[in-house]
Amino acid sequence: MDMMSVRPALSGKTYFIRTFGCQMNLHDSERVAGLLDACGCLEAADPAGADIVIFMTCCVREAADQRLYGQCNSCKSLPAPPSGTRVVAVGGCIAQRDGEGLLTNVDNVNVIFGTHAIAHVGELIAQAFEDGGRHVSIAEDETLAAVSMPWHRETVYHAWVPIMTGCNNFCSYCIVPYVRGREKSRPFEEVIDEVSALVRSGVREVTLLGQNVNSYGRDRYGAPRFAELLRKVGETGIERIRFTSSHPKDLLPETIDAMAETPAVMPHLHLAVQSGSTRILKEMNRRYTREDYLDLVRRVRDRIPGIALTTDIIVGFPGETEEDFEETLSLAREVGYAQAFTFIYSRREGTPAAAIVDPTPHEVIQERFDRLVKVIEDTAYEFNQGELHATVPVLVEGASKKNTRVLQGKSPKNQTVHAPIPEGLHIEDLIGKIVDVRVDTARTWYLSGTVTGDPR
């Protein structure tokens, strides 16, 4: 089925996309929405008003499967959609991993498309409308097709820009390399051209995406070119550059230099540590030690004083002892993270760690998790005091959910900032603009203050 026959089949249909998981999934969702827009579809506000309901899934966490089954089942009780027929589609990592197996777990799903098959989602959905059948595509070969699809961006001022897909690292707890495949980098010039086009369309901030951006280019050019890419993206005129994820074992000195010397690169680095215990890091196949990581942090801070460091930490990896966990706590205190994503270990079938038997009671793991959260709250609060009484440029995202007279946005260090909307201005005038905020309150999760000067 080609685009010519897909468009009439989908034209005028309404769609709703729910996204679980990582930024790569958010970007994939924007591409799927763009494709449906190009087929003449219209976005619905909720699943009840949608002819097409799509779940973009993530299989990193165990509970994700149950949530997906619950969400799919809830579609059965929805009122009939505008067209009279509803097609339910599942994309993303669970779709890639389970393929047709999903059909047995959820009996009302019509379309399953893997992470490599999102370019075909239009024709799969069109076929489901035409024949009422169930269509599955989890081909392994179309890895970079998604990035050339049309694009329905959630915001006009920020864009996700994938620079690579897949991962070669095989951390022992992680399912990603199995469902997203091996690392494949996009051509250097293609990324630069995309960012240049985004700048022309009014985008002010880009986030470069990859499971491990530090090894960008190794597969395509024989050596990593991420440092060079950062500098070139900085020359496009984009005002803010962020990137994720960054594996500590691959963060090269030249990348730290590029971050320090490229004004548009924000002073924020997400550097996932996962554990502070060298023994556990070895079990995780992370390929660095506690000392390597702390040395890296020192080198980053020498070049970029005041940088915000954020991280991911897993509590309860199989076999983790109280001593191992204490090492994680002490590392978190020593680094002084600005923020951290903390997870209780989630067993994923098919990964090496799933074979390790662990007798540690859940209550013990939960209690450790709570202690870690407390340390992160302390370090985040401490870090934010550094901005007290300073004036920070804030990219405005919208009004605060709690108070519509207060704007909310992000500082260069990715802190959430609140400030009253200045007299005579509306939030619509400010979204996507940068305002200077003089900070008079610094809390664990946000900064707040007063707007000074004019928006720009």
Side-chain angles (χ1 to χ4, degrees):
M1 215 173 176
D2 60 21
M3 230 16 214
M4 294 306 290
S5 50
V6 169
R7 193 182 161 89
L10 297 185
S11 188
K13 300 272 198 300
T14 56
Y15 70 88
F16 178 83
I17 301 177
R18 179 156 284 150
T19 310
F20 307 93
C22 68
Q23 283 97 339
M24 198 60 100
N25 263 12
L26 285 171
H27 177 267
D28 284 352
S29 296
E30 291 185 344
R31 294 291 191 186
V32 170
L35 188 84
L36 294 177
D37 292 347
C39 293
C41 297
L42 306 161
E43 193 171 18
D46 52 40
D51 299 308
I52 303 161
V53 177
I54 300 178
F55 298 107
M56 295 297 285
T57 63
C58 169
C59 60
V60 169
R61 317 279 308 134
E62 196 168 18
D65 298 47
Q66 297 311 317
R67 273 176 72 198
L68 170 67
Y69 304 154
Q71 299 257 350
C72 289
N73 280 324
S74 70
C75 288
K76 293 180 188 173
S77 54
L78 293 175
S83 72
T85 306
R86 180 174 286 111
V87 165
V88 177
V90 176
C93 290
I94 292 181
Q96 185 68 37
R97 184 194 69 194
D98 293 355
E100 294 195 5
L102 257 180
L103 298 176
T104 55
N105 291 321
V106 274
D107 57 8
N108 63 322
V109 168
N110 312 88
V111 169
I112 291 166
F113 60 101
T115 52
H116 307 306
I118 74 170
H120 301 302
V121 67
E123 58 218 65
L124 294 166
I125 291 171
Q127 283 170 333
F129 273 114
E130 286 190 1
D131 62 17
R134 309 177 87 183
H135 299 275
V136 179
S137 175
I138 52 164
E140 290 279 350
D141 52 351
E142 302 246 2
T143 335
L144 291 171
V147 294
S148 56
M149 285 165 59
W151 192 1
H152 170 134
R153 296 205 326 273
E154 282 302 306
T155 65
V156 291
Y157 55 85
H158 171 269
W160 308 106
V161 177
I163 63 172
M164 62 201 298
T165 60
C167 187
N168 290 357
N169 283 322
F170 292 94
C171 301
S172 66
Y173 50 81
C174 185
I175 197 87
V176 167
Y178 304 97
V179 289
R180 292 250 177 205
R182 291 306 75 76
E183 280 174 7
K184 282 199 173 64
S185 301
R186 289 177 73 189
F188 193 95
E189 291 69 26
E190 192 180 286
V191 176
I192 302 305
D193 289 349
E194 180 168 344
V195 176
S196 300
L198 290 166
V199 172
R200 289 195 297 275
S201 73
V203 169
R204 306 186 76 161
E205 176 179 275
V206 294
T207 303
L208 306 177
L209 284 181
Q211 302 297 343
N212 176 18
V213 292
N214 293 330
S215 55
Y216 166 78
R218 188 178 285 154
D219 59 298
R220 186 176 279 275
Y221 303 111
R225 291 181 69 184
F226 186 57
E228 189 188 343
L229 187 77
L230 275 181
R231 292 182 190 274
K232 276 280 183 245
V233 170
E235 289 170 16
T236 61
I238 193 78
E239 290 169 80
R240 292 186 168 198
I241 301 168
R242 302 188 186 278
F243 56 87
T244 196
S245 300
S246 194
H247 196 301
K249 77 175 173 61
D250 295 315
L251 184 60
L252 298 170
E254 56 259 41
T255 299
I256 300 170
D257 289 340
M259 291 174 67
E261 293 163 16
T262 307
V265 174
M266 293 290 98
H268 166 228
L269 175 63
H270 187 75
L271 199 60
V273 68
Q274 307 300 4
S275 171
S277 155
T278 293
R279 188 184 77 81
I280 293 292
L281 288 169
K282 194 167 181 356
E283 290 282 320
M284 289 177 163
N285 193 33
R286 292 290 287 173
R287 291 181 279 178
Y288 53 84
T289 64
R290 174 193 177 89
E291 290 67 35
D292 294 337
Y293 186 90
L294 289 171
D295 179 55
L296 185 58
V297 165
R298 279 189 288 275
R299 284 187 286 133
V300 169
R301 287 207 163 124
D302 282 348
R303 287 295 275 121
I304 311 162
I307 190 170
L309 290 173
T310 57
T311 200
D312 298 333
I313 297 175
I314 294 171
V315 178
F317 184 84
E320 180 181 64
T321 64
E322 178 60 28
E323 290 70 32
D324 293 319
F325 177 69
E326 288 285 352
E327 292 203 32
T328 296
L329 283 187
S330 70
L331 179 132
R333 283 194 201 96
E334 188 174 334
V335 174
Y337 289 112
Q339 209 65 267
F341 298 101
T342 51
F343 306 93
I344 286 177
Y345 169 75
S346 182
R347 187 171 175 274
R348 303 318 288 146
E349 255 342 303
T351 61
I356 307 173
V357 178
D358 185 34
T360 315
H362 179 76
E363 308 78 80
V364 172
I365 294 172
Q366 184 64 53
E367 183 266 343
R368 287 178 188 163
F369 180 82
D370 296 341
R371 281 156 62 202
L372 175 64
V373 167
K374 180 77 184 74
V375 167
I376 298 300
E377 285 175 352
D378 292 346
T379 62
Y381 180 84
E382 259 324 293
F383 182 80
N384 281 350
Q385 302 317 300
E387 255 51 46
L388 199 52
H389 309 309
T391 298
V392 297
V394 176
L395 180 57
V396 180
E397 298 173 327
S400 158
K401 288 187 175 62
K402 291 186 180 146
N403 185 346
T404 54
R405 294 189 303 281
V406 170
L407 64 83
Q408 178 174 310
K410 285 286 199 288
S411 76
K413 295 178 184 178
N414 213 32
Q415 296 141 312
T416 296
V417 185
H418 296 140
I421 296 168
E423 249 351 273
L425 288 175
H426 296 283
I427 192 62
E428 288 73 22
D429 310 324
L430 292 172
I431 291 174
K433 294 276 190 353
I434 291 175
V435 296
D436 289 324
V437 174
R438 181 161 170 74
V439 177
D440 54 35
T441 306
R443 298 263 192 267
T444 305
W445 308 119
Y446 67 90
L447 310 172
S448 69
T450 316
V451 173
T452 63
D454 293 328
R456 55 188 186 279

